[in-house]
Amino acid sequence: MIVLGSDHVGYPLKEQMKQHLQDKGIPYVDLGCDTADRVDYPVYAARVARAVSQGEYARGMLFCGTGIGVSICANRFQGIRCVVCSEPYSAKLSRCHNDSNILALGARVVGSELAFMIADVWLSTPFEGGRHAARLEMMDLLERGKRDEPNQR
């Protein structure tokens, strides 16, 4: 189950993504916004990030004009690894190396067909683990203030 959210600029792309997910048989929940009327993106980014952070959903997608604002907001929540992607290669590496759990897409940056390609790669790519898991653990410790700056070799 994927949780979705957007501001007013990202709303049309979110609606198109909902149809794409439905066509692929991927269940989703939409936490808003529900129209193209102007709204503040942090409200919807926080809804999605909180739901993923608290374990209600494994992954989410956010949509705004560039993807940047919603990603900055989402990454303020513990355990969130939100990435802005404008091409499939970064989406793939964000999953296999960084276990990203929220994908942010910019409606003014990518069209719907490219957004679908990015999302498909992001949704189908597993986390590799291994050396990457150790780095994620290090980030989690830093986030919780349980570790000073990591040692370098």
Side-chain angles (χ1 to χ4, degrees):
M1 177 86 58
I2 303 294
V3 63
L4 307 174
S6 72
D7 69 359
H8 56 288
V9 177
Y11 172 76
L13 182 57
K14 181 187 68 171
E15 293 301 301
Q16 293 172 320
M17 185 63 72
K18 285 166 50 175
Q19 184 62 54
H20 179 72
L21 294 173
Q22 186 174 337
D23 292 346
K24 293 201 160 271
I26 300 171
Y28 63 85
V29 171
D30 183 355
L31 299 182
C33 72
D34 300 321
T35 71
D37 295 338
R38 186 182 169 128
V39 296
D40 295 318
Y41 66 83
V43 171
Y44 301 96
R47 286 181 185 176
V48 169
R50 187 174 291 112
V52 174
S53 178
Q54 293 176 349
E56 295 175 49
Y57 302 94
R59 291 201 247 168
M61 289 186 195
L62 289 167
F63 306 84
C64 70
T66 62
I68 296 169
V70 291
S71 71
I72 290 171
C73 182
N75 280 318
R76 292 177 180 248
F77 287 78
Q78 187 169 351
I80 296 302
R81 293 173 304 280
C82 180
V83 295
V84 181
C85 294
S86 56
E87 38 70 33
Y89 183 71
S90 294
K92 179 181 178 88
L93 290 182
S94 81
R95 284 290 307 136
C96 64
H97 290 185
N98 309 111
D99 198 19
S100 61
N101 51 14
I102 298 179
L103 173 65
L105 294 168
R108 292 178 173 155
V109 178
V110 298
S112 60
E113 291 303 315
L114 181 54
F116 299 158
M117 286 190 283
I118 294 166
D120 289 347
V121 167
W122 187 77
L123 289 167
S124 65
T125 302
F127 177 51
E128 286 181 3
R131 71 184 190 276
H132 305 297
R135 293 171 183 154
L136 289 181
E137 183 179 335
M138 186 183 297
M139 285 189 270
D140 288 343
L141 290 171
L142 288 165
E143 179 180 45
R144 293 191 301 263
K146 306 254 185 214
R147 183 173 175 161
D148 293 327
E149 184 176 324
N151 296 329
Q152 283 293 313
R153 296 179 215 174

Coordinates of all heavy atoms in Angstrom, one line a residue, residues 39-127:
V39 N -3.0 25.5 -1.6 CA -2.8 24.9 -0.3 C -1.3 25.1 0.1 O -0.5 25.4 -0.8 CB -3.2 23.5 -0.1 CG1 -4.7 23.3 -0.4 CG2 -2.4 22.6 -1.1
D40 N -1.0 24.8 1.3 CA 0.4 24.8 1.8 C 1.0 23.4 1.8 O 0.5 22.5 2.5 CB 0.5 25.4 3.2 CG 0.1 26.9 3.2 OD1 0.5 27.6 2.3 OD2 -0.6 27.3 4.1
Y41 N 2.1 23.2 1.0 CA 2.6 21.8 0.8 C 3.1 21.2 2.1 O 3.0 19.9 2.2 CB 3.7 21.8 -0.2 CG 5.0 22.6 0.1 CD1 5.9 22.0 0.9 CD2 5.2 23.9 -0.3 CE1 7.1 22.7 1.3 CE2 6.3 24.6 0.0 CZ 7.3 24.0 0.8 OH 8.4 24.6 1.2
P42 N 3.6 21.9 3.1 CA 4.0 21.2 4.3 C 2.9 20.4 5.0 O 3.2 19.3 5.6 CB 4.5 22.3 5.2 CG 4.9 23.4 4.3 CD 3.9 23.3 3.2
V43 N 1.7 20.8 4.9 CA 0.6 20.1 5.5 C 0.5 18.7 5.0 O 0.4 17.7 5.7 CB -0.8 20.8 5.3 CG1 -1.9 20.0 5.8 CG2 -0.7 22.2 6.0
Y44 N 0.6 18.5 3.7 CA 0.4 17.2 3.0 C 1.7 16.4 3.0 O 1.6 15.2 3.2 CB -0.2 17.5 1.6 CG -1.5 18.2 1.7 CD1 -1.5 19.6 1.5 CD2 -2.6 17.5 2.0 CE1 -2.7 20.3 1.7 CE2 -3.8 18.2 2.2 CZ -3.9 19.6 2.0 OH -5.0 20.2 2.2
A45 N 2.8 17.1 3.0 CA 4.1 16.3 3.1 C 4.2 15.7 4.5 O 4.6 14.6 4.6 CB 5.2 17.3 2.8
A46 N 3.8 16.5 5.5 CA 3.8 16.0 6.9 C 2.8 14.8 7.1 O 3.2 13.9 7.8 CB 3.5 17.1 7.8
R47 N 1.7 14.9 6.5 CA 0.7 13.8 6.6 C 1.3 12.5 6.1 O 1.3 11.4 6.7 CB -0.6 14.1 5.8 CG -1.5 15.1 6.5 CD -2.7 15.3 5.6 NE -3.5 16.3 6.2 CZ -4.7 16.7 5.6 NH1 -5.1 16.2 4.5 NH2 -5.4 17.7 6.2
V48 N 1.9 12.5 4.9 CA 2.5 11.4 4.3 C 3.7 10.9 5.1 O 3.9 9.7 5.4 CB 2.9 11.6 2.8 CG1 3.7 10.5 2.2 CG2 1.6 11.8 2.0
A49 N 4.6 11.8 5.4 CA 5.8 11.5 6.2 C 5.5 10.9 7.5 O 6.1 9.9 8.0 CB 6.7 12.7 6.3
R50 N 4.6 11.5 8.2 CA 4.2 10.9 9.5 C 3.6 9.5 9.4 O 4.0 8.6 10.2 CB 3.1 11.9 10.2 CG 2.8 11.5 11.6 CD 1.9 12.5 12.3 NE 2.6 13.8 12.5 CZ 2.3 14.9 11.9 NH1 1.3 15.0 11.0 NH2 3.0 16.0 12.1
A51 N 2.8 9.3 8.4 CA 2.2 8.0 8.2 C 3.3 6.9 7.9 O 3.2 5.8 8.4 CB 1.2 8.0 7.1
V52 N 4.3 7.3 7.1 CA 5.4 6.3 6.8 C 6.3 6.2 8.1 O 6.7 5.1 8.4 CB 6.2 6.8 5.6 CG1 7.4 5.9 5.4 CG2 5.3 6.8 4.3
S53 N 6.6 7.3 8.7 CA 7.5 7.3 9.9 C 6.9 6.4 11.0 O 7.6 5.7 11.7 CB 7.7 8.7 10.4 OG 8.5 8.7 11.5
Q54 N 5.6 6.5 11.2 CA 4.9 5.7 12.2 C 4.6 4.3 11.8 O 4.0 3.6 12.6 CB 3.7 6.5 12.7 CG 4.0 7.8 13.4 CD 2.8 8.6 13.7 OE1 1.7 8.3 13.3 NE2 3.0 9.6 14.5
G55 N 5.0 3.9 10.6 CA 4.8 2.5 10.2 C 3.4 2.2 9.7 O 3.1 1.0 9.4
E56 N 2.6 3.2 9.5 CA 1.2 2.9 8.9 C 1.3 2.4 7.5 O 0.5 1.6 7.0 CB 0.4 4.1 9.0 CG 0.0 4.6 10.4 CD -0.7 5.9 10.4 OE1 -1.7 6.0 9.6 OE2 -0.3 6.8 11.1
Y57 N 2.3 2.9 6.7 CA 2.6 2.6 5.4 C 4.1 2.4 5.2 O 4.9 3.1 5.8 CB 2.1 3.6 4.4 CG 0.6 3.9 4.6 CD1 0.2 5.0 5.4 CD2 -0.3 3.1 3.9 CE1 -1.2 5.2 5.6 CE2 -1.7 3.4 4.1 CZ -2.1 4.4 4.9 OH -3.4 4.6 5.1
A58 N 4.5 1.5 4.3 CA 5.9 1.2 4.1 C 6.5 2.3 3.2 O 7.7 2.7 3.4 CB 6.1 -0.1 3.4
R59 N 5.7 2.8 2.2 CA 6.3 3.8 1.3 C 5.2 4.8 0.9 O 4.0 4.6 1.0 CB 6.8 3.2 0.1 CG 8.1 2.4 0.3 CD 8.8 2.2 -0.9 NE 8.8 0.8 -1.3 CZ 9.2 0.3 -2.5 NH1 9.6 1.2 -3.4 NH2 9.2 -1.0 -2.8
G60 N 5.7 6.0 0.5 CA 4.8 7.1 0.1 C 5.3 7.8 -1.2 O 6.5 7.7 -1.5
M61 N 4.4 8.6 -1.7 CA 4.8 9.5 -2.9 C 4.2 10.8 -2.6 O 3.1 11.0 -2.1 CB 4.3 8.9 -4.2 CG 4.9 7.7 -4.7 SD 4.2 7.4 -6.4 CE 4.8 5.7 -6.6
L62 N 5.1 11.8 -2.9 CA 4.6 13.2 -2.7 C 4.8 14.0 -4.0 O 5.7 13.7 -4.8 CB 5.5 13.9 -1.6 CG 5.2 13.5 -0.2 CD1 6.3 13.9 0.7 CD2 3.8 14.0 0.2
F63 N 4.0 15.0 -4.3 CA 4.0 15.7 -5.5 C 3.8 17.2 -5.2 O 2.9 17.6 -4.4 CB 2.8 15.3 -6.4 CG 2.7 13.8 -6.6 CD1 2.1 13.0 -5.7 CD2 3.3 13.3 -7.8 CE1 2.1 11.6 -5.9 CE2 3.2 11.9 -8.0 CZ 2.6 11.1 -7.1
C64 N 4.7 18.0 -5.8 CA 4.6 19.5 -5.7 C 5.2 20.0 -7.0 O 5.3 19.2 -8.0 CB 5.2 20.1 -4.5 SG 7.0 20.0 -4.4
G65 N 5.5 21.3 -7.1 CA 6.0 21.8 -8.3 C 7.3 21.3 -8.7 O 7.5 20.9 -9.9
T66 N 8.3 21.2 -7.8 CA 9.6 20.7 -8.1 C 9.9 19.4 -7.4 O 10.9 18.7 -7.7 CB 10.7 21.7 -7.7 OG1 10.6 21.9 -6.3 CG2 10.5 23.0 -8.4
G67 N 9.2 19.0 -6.3 CA 9.5 17.9 -5.5 C 10.4 18.3 -4.3 O 10.5 17.6 -3.3
I68 N 11.0 19.5 -4.4 CA 12.0 19.9 -3.4 C 11.3 20.2 -2.1 O 11.7 19.7 -1.0 CB 12.8 21.0 -3.9 CG1 13.6 20.6 -5.2 CG2 13.7 21.6 -2.8 CD1 14.3 21.7 -5.9
G69 N 10.3 21.1 -2.1 CA 9.7 21.5 -0.8 C 9.1 20.3 0.0 O 9.4 20.2 1.2
V70 N 8.4 19.5 -0.7 CA 7.8 18.3 0.0 C 8.9 17.4 0.5 O 8.7 16.8 1.6 CB 6.7 17.6 -0.8 CG1 5.5 18.4 -1.0 CG2 7.3 17.1 -2.1
S71 N 10.0 17.3 -0.2 CA 11.0 16.4 0.3 C 11.8 16.9 1.5 O 12.1 16.2 2.4 CB 12.0 16.0 -0.9 OG 12.8 17.2 -1.2
I72 N 12.0 18.2 1.5 CA 12.6 18.9 2.6 C 11.8 18.7 3.9 O 12.2 18.3 4.9 CB 12.9 20.4 2.4 CG1 14.0 20.5 1.3 CG2 13.3 21.1 3.7 CD1 14.2 21.9 0.8
C73 N 10.5 18.9 3.7 CA 9.5 18.7 4.8 C 9.5 17.3 5.3 O 9.6 17.0 6.5 CB 8.1 19.2 4.4 SG 6.9 19.1 5.8
A74 N 9.4 16.3 4.4 CA 9.3 14.9 4.7 C 10.5 14.4 5.4 O 10.4 13.7 6.4 CB 9.0 14.1 3.5
N75 N 11.7 14.9 5.0 CA 12.9 14.4 5.6 C 13.2 14.9 7.0 O 14.1 14.5 7.7 CB 14.1 14.8 4.7 CG 14.2 13.8 3.6 OD1 14.1 12.6 3.7 ND2 14.5 14.3 2.4
R76 N 12.3 15.8 7.5 CA 12.4 16.2 8.9 C 11.8 15.2 9.9 O 12.0 15.3 11.1 CB 11.7 17.5 9.1 CG 12.4 18.7 8.4 CD 11.7 20.0 8.5 NE 12.4 21.0 7.8 CZ 13.0 22.0 8.4 NH1 13.0 22.1 9.7 NH2 13.7 22.9 7.7
F77 N 11.2 14.1 9.4 CA 10.5 13.1 10.2 C 11.5 12.0 10.4 O 12.2 11.5 9.4 CB 9.2 12.7 9.6 CG 8.1 13.7 9.7 CD1 8.1 14.8 8.9 CD2 7.1 13.5 10.7 CE1 7.1 15.7 9.0 CE2 6.1 14.5 10.8 CZ 6.1 15.6 9.9
Q78 N 11.5 11.4 11.6 CA 12.4 10.3 11.9 C 12.2 9.1 11.0 O 11.1 8.7 10.8 CB 12.3 9.9 13.4 CG 13.3 8.9 13.8 CD 13.3 8.7 15.3 OE1 12.7 9.4 16.0 NE2 14.1 7.7 15.7
G79 N 13.3 8.6 10.5 CA 13.2 7.4 9.6 C 12.8 7.6 8.2 O 12.7 6.7 7.4
I80 N 12.6 8.9 7.8 CA 12.2 9.1 6.4 C 13.4 9.4 5.6 O 14.3 10.1 6.0 CB 11.2 10.3 6.4 CG1 9.9 10.0 7.1 CG2 11.0 10.7 4.9 CD1 9.2 8.8 6.6
R81 N 13.4 8.7 4.4 CA 14.4 8.9 3.4 C 13.7 9.2 2.1 O 13.5 8.4 1.3 CB 15.3 7.6 3.3 CG 16.1 7.4 4.6 CD 16.9 6.1 4.5 NE 16.0 4.9 4.3 CZ 15.2 4.3 5.3 NH1 15.2 4.8 6.5 NH2 14.5 3.3 5.0
C82 N 13.4 10.5 2.0 CA 12.6 11.0 0.8 C 13.6 11.5 -0.2 O 14.5 12.3 0.1 CB 11.7 12.1 1.3 SG 10.7 12.8 -0.1
V83 N 13.4 11.1 -1.5 CA 14.2 11.5 -2.6 C 13.4 12.2 -3.7 O 12.3 11.8 -3.9 CB 15.0 10.3 -3.2 CG1 16.0 9.7 -2.2 CG2 14.0 9.2 -3.7
V84 N 14.0 13.2 -4.2 CA 13.4 13.8 -5.4 C 14.1 13.2 -6.6 O 15.3 13.2 -6.7 CB 13.7 15.4 -5.4 CG1 13.0 16.0 -6.7 CG2 13.2 16.0 -4.2
C85 N 13.3 12.7 -7.5 CA 13.9 12.0 -8.7 C 13.2 12.6 -10.0 O 12.0 12.8 -10.0 CB 13.7 10.5 -8.7 SG 14.6 9.7 -7.4
S86 N 14.1 12.9 -11.0 CA 13.6 13.4 -12.3 C 14.0 12.4 -13.4 O 13.8 12.8 -14.6 CB 14.0 14.8 -12.5 OG 15.4 14.9 -12.5
E87 N 14.5 11.3 -13.0 CA 14.8 10.2 -14.0 C 14.9 8.9 -13.3 O 15.1 8.9 -12.1 CB 16.1 10.6 -14.8 CG 17.2 11.2 -14.1 CD 17.9 10.3 -13.1 OE1 18.0 9.1 -13.3 OE2 18.3 10.8 -12.0
P88 N 14.7 7.8 -14.0 CA 14.7 6.5 -13.4 C 15.9 6.0 -12.7 O 15.8 5.2 -11.7 CB 14.3 5.5 -14.5 CG 13.6 6.4 -15.5 CD 14.3 7.7 -15.4
Y89 N 17.1 6.3 -13.2 CA 18.3 5.8 -12.6 C 18.5 6.2 -11.2 O 18.8 5.4 -10.3 CB 19.5 6.3 -13.4 CG 20.9 5.7 -13.0 CD1 21.2 4.4 -13.1 CD2 21.8 6.5 -12.3 CE1 22.4 3.8 -12.7 CE2 23.0 6.0 -11.9 CZ 23.3 4.6 -12.0 OH 24.4 4.1 -11.6
S90 N 18.2 7.5 -10.8 CA 18.3 7.9 -9.4 C 17.3 7.2 -8.6 O 17.5 6.9 -7.4 CB 18.2 9.4 -9.3 OG 19.2 10.1 -10.0
A91 N 16.1 7.0 -9.2 CA 15.1 6.3 -8.4 C 15.5 4.9 -8.1 O 15.3 4.4 -6.9 CB 13.8 6.3 -9.2
K92 N 16.1 4.2 -9.0 CA 16.6 2.9 -8.8 C 17.7 2.8 -7.7 O 17.6 2.1 -6.7 CB 17.2 2.3 -10.1 CG 17.8 0.9 -9.9 CD 18.3 0.4 -11.3 CE 18.9 -1.0 -11.1 NZ 18.0 -2.1 -11.3
L93 N 18.7 3.7 -7.8 CA 19.8 3.7 -6.8 C 19.3 4.2 -5.4 O 19.8 3.7 -4.4 CB 20.9 4.6 -7.3 CG 21.7 4.0 -8.4 CD1 22.9 4.9 -8.8 CD2 22.2 2.6 -8.1
S94 N 18.3 5.1 -5.4 CA 17.8 5.5 -4.1 C 17.1 4.4 -3.4 O 17.1 4.4 -2.2 CB 16.8 6.7 -4.3 OG 15.5 6.2 -4.7
R95 N 16.6 3.4 -4.1 CA 16.0 2.2 -3.5 C 17.1 1.2 -3.1 O 17.1 0.7 -2.0 CB 15.0 1.6 -4.4 CG 13.7 2.3 -4.5 CD 12.8 2.2 -3.2 NE 12.7 0.8 -2.8 CZ 12.8 0.4 -1.6 NH1 13.0 1.2 -0.6 NH2 12.6 -0.9 -1.3
C96 N 17.9 0.8 -4.1 CA 18.8 -0.3 -3.8 C 20.0 0.1 -2.9 O 20.4 -0.7 -2.1 CB 19.3 -0.9 -5.1 SG 20.3 0.0 -6.2
H97 N 20.4 1.4 -2.9 CA 21.5 1.8 -2.0 C 21.0 2.5 -0.7 O 21.7 2.4 0.3 CB 22.4 2.7 -2.7 CG 23.2 2.0 -3.8 ND1 24.2 2.7 -4.5 CD2 23.2 0.8 -4.2 CE1 24.8 1.9 -5.3 NE2 24.2 0.7 -5.2
N98 N 19.9 3.2 -0.8 CA 19.5 4.1 0.3 C 18.2 3.7 0.9 O 17.7 4.3 1.9 CB 19.4 5.5 -0.1 CG 20.6 6.0 -0.8 OD1 20.6 6.3 -2.0 ND2 21.7 6.1 -0.1
D99 N 17.5 2.7 0.4 CA 16.2 2.2 0.9 C 15.2 3.4 1.1 O 14.6 3.5 2.1 CB 16.4 1.4 2.2 CG 15.2 0.6 2.6 OD1 14.4 0.3 1.7 OD2 15.0 0.2 3.7
S100 N 15.2 4.2 0.1 CA 14.3 5.4 0.1 C 12.9 4.9 0.4 O 12.4 3.9 -0.2 CB 14.4 6.3 -1.1 OG 14.0 5.5 -2.3
N101 N 12.1 5.7 1.2 CA 10.8 5.2 1.5 C 9.7 6.2 1.1 O 8.5 6.0 1.2 CB 10.6 4.9 3.0 CG 11.1 5.9 3.9 OD1 11.4 7.0 3.6 ND2 11.3 5.5 5.2
I102 N 10.1 7.4 0.6 CA 9.2 8.3 0.0 C 9.8 8.9 -1.3 O 11.0 9.3 -1.3 CB 8.8 9.5 0.9 CG1 8.1 9.0 2.2 CG2 7.9 10.5 0.2 CD1 7.7 10.0 3.2
L103 N 9.1 8.9 -2.4 CA 9.5 9.4 -3.6 C 8.8 10.8 -3.8 O 7.5 10.8 -3.7 CB 9.1 8.5 -4.8 CG 9.3 9.0 -6.2 CD1 10.8 9.2 -6.5 CD2 8.7 7.9 -7.2
A104 N 9.5 11.8 -4.1 CA 9.0 13.1 -4.4 C 9.1 13.4 -5.9 O 10.2 13.2 -6.4 CB 9.6 14.2 -3.6
L105 N 8.0 13.8 -6.5 CA 8.1 14.2 -8.0 C 7.6 15.6 -8.2 O 6.6 16.0 -7.6 CB 7.2 13.2 -8.7 CG 7.6 11.7 -8.7 CD1 6.5 10.8 -9.3 CD2 8.9 11.6 -9.6
G106 N 8.3 16.3 -9.1 CA 7.9 17.7 -9.4 C 7.1 17.7 -10.6 O 7.5 17.4 -11.7
A107 N 5.9 18.2 -10.5 CA 4.9 18.3 -11.6 C 5.4 19.3 -12.7 O 5.0 19.1 -13.8 CB 3.5 18.7 -11.1
R108 N 6.2 20.3 -12.3 CA 6.7 21.2 -13.2 C 8.0 20.8 -13.9 O 8.6 21.4 -14.7 CB 6.9 22.6 -12.6 CG 5.6 23.2 -12.2 CD 5.8 24.6 -11.5 NE 4.6 25.2 -11.2 CZ 4.4 26.1 -10.3 NH1 5.4 26.4 -9.4 NH2 3.2 26.7 -10.1
V109 N 8.5 19.6 -13.4 CA 9.8 19.1 -13.9 C 9.7 17.9 -14.7 O 10.3 17.8 -15.8 CB 10.7 18.8 -12.6 CG1 12.0 18.2 -13.1 CG2 10.9 20.0 -11.8
V110 N 8.8 17.0 -14.3 CA 8.6 15.7 -15.1 C 7.1 15.7 -15.6 O 6.2 16.1 -14.9 CB 8.9 14.5 -14.3 CG1 10.4 14.5 -13.9 CG2 8.0 14.3 -13.1
G111 N 7.0 15.2 -16.8 CA 5.6 14.9 -17.3 C 5.1 13.6 -16.8 O 5.8 12.8 -16.1
S112 N 3.8 13.3 -17.0 CA 3.2 12.1 -16.5 C 3.9 10.8 -16.9 O 4.1 9.9 -16.1 CB 1.7 12.1 -16.8 OG 1.5 12.1 -18.2
E113 N 4.3 10.7 -18.2 CA 4.9 9.5 -18.7 C 6.2 9.2 -18.0 O 6.5 8.1 -17.6 CB 5.0 9.5 -20.2 CG 3.7 9.4 -20.9 CD 2.9 8.2 -20.6 OE1 3.4 7.1 -20.5 OE2 1.6 8.3 -20.3
L114 N 7.0 10.2 -17.9 CA 8.3 10.1 -17.2 C 8.1 9.8 -15.7 O 8.8 8.9 -15.1 CB 9.2 11.3 -17.3 CG 10.6 11.3 -16.7 CD1 11.4 10.1 -17.1 CD2 11.3 12.6 -17.0
A115 N 7.1 10.4 -15.1 CA 6.8 10.2 -13.7 C 6.4 8.7 -13.5 O 6.8 8.1 -12.5 CB 5.7 11.1 -13.2
F116 N 5.6 8.2 -14.4 CA 5.2 6.7 -14.3 C 6.5 5.8 -14.4 O 6.6 4.8 -13.7 CB 4.2 6.4 -15.5 CG 3.0 7.1 -15.4 CD1 2.2 7.2 -16.6 CD2 2.5 7.8 -14.3 CE1 1.0 7.9 -16.6 CE2 1.3 8.5 -14.3 CZ 0.5 8.6 -15.5
M117 N 7.4 6.1 -15.3 CA 8.6 5.3 -15.5 C 9.4 5.4 -14.2 O 9.9 4.4 -13.7 CB 9.5 5.8 -16.6 CG 8.9 5.4 -18.0 SD 10.1 5.8 -19.3 CE 9.9 7.5 -19.5
I118 N 9.6 6.6 -13.6 CA 10.3 6.8 -12.4 C 9.6 6.0 -11.3 O 10.3 5.2 -10.5 CB 10.4 8.2 -12.0 CG1 11.3 9.0 -13.0 CG2 11.0 8.4 -10.6 CD1 11.1 10.5 -13.0
A119 N 8.3 6.1 -11.1 CA 7.6 5.4 -10.1 C 7.7 3.9 -10.2 O 7.9 3.2 -9.2 CB 6.2 5.9 -10.0
D120 N 7.6 3.4 -11.4 CA 7.6 2.0 -11.7 C 9.0 1.4 -11.2 O 9.1 0.3 -10.6 CB 7.4 1.6 -13.2 CG 5.9 1.8 -13.6 OD1 5.1 2.0 -12.7 OD2 5.7 1.9 -14.8
V121 N 10.1 2.1 -11.6 CA 11.4 1.6 -11.2 C 11.5 1.7 -9.7 O 12.0 0.8 -9.0 CB 12.5 2.5 -11.9 CG1 13.9 2.3 -11.2 CG2 12.5 2.2 -13.4
W122 N 11.1 2.8 -9.1 CA 11.2 3.0 -7.6 C 10.4 1.9 -6.9 O 10.9 1.4 -5.9 CB 10.7 4.4 -7.3 CG 10.9 4.8 -5.9 CD1 12.1 5.1 -5.3 CD2 9.9 4.8 -4.8 NE1 11.9 5.4 -3.9 CE2 10.5 5.3 -3.7 CE3 8.5 4.6 -4.8 CZ2 9.9 5.4 -2.5 CZ3 7.9 4.8 -3.6 CH2 8.5 5.2 -2.5
L123 N 9.2 1.6 -7.4 CA 8.4 0.6 -6.7 C 8.9 -0.8 -6.9 O 8.7 -1.7 -6.0 CB 6.9 0.7 -7.2 CG 6.2 1.9 -6.8 CD1 4.9 2.1 -7.6 CD2 5.9 1.9 -5.3
S124 N 9.6 -1.1 -7.9 CA 10.0 -2.5 -8.2 C 11.4 -2.8 -7.8 O 11.8 -3.9 -7.8 CB 9.8 -2.8 -9.7 OG 10.7 -2.0 -10.5
T125 N 12.2 -1.8 -7.3 CA 13.6 -2.0 -7.0 C 13.7 -2.3 -5.5 O 13.3 -1.5 -4.6 CB 14.4 -0.8 -7.3 OG1 14.3 -0.5 -8.7 CG2 15.9 -1.0 -6.9
P126 N 14.3 -3.5 -5.1 CA 14.4 -3.8 -3.7 C 15.7 -3.2 -3.1 O 16.6 -2.8 -3.9 CB 14.6 -5.3 -3.7 CG 15.2 -5.6 -5.1 CD 14.6 -4.6 -6.0
F127 N 15.8 -3.1 -1.8 CA 16.9 -2.6 -1.1 C 18.0 -3.7 -1.1 O 17.7 -4.9 -0.8 CB 16.6 -2.2 0.3 CG 17.7 -1.8 1.2 CD1 18.6 -0.8 0.7 CD2 17.9 -2.3 2.4 CE1 19.7 -0.4 1.5 CE2 18.9 -1.9 3.2 CZ 19.8 -1.0 2.8

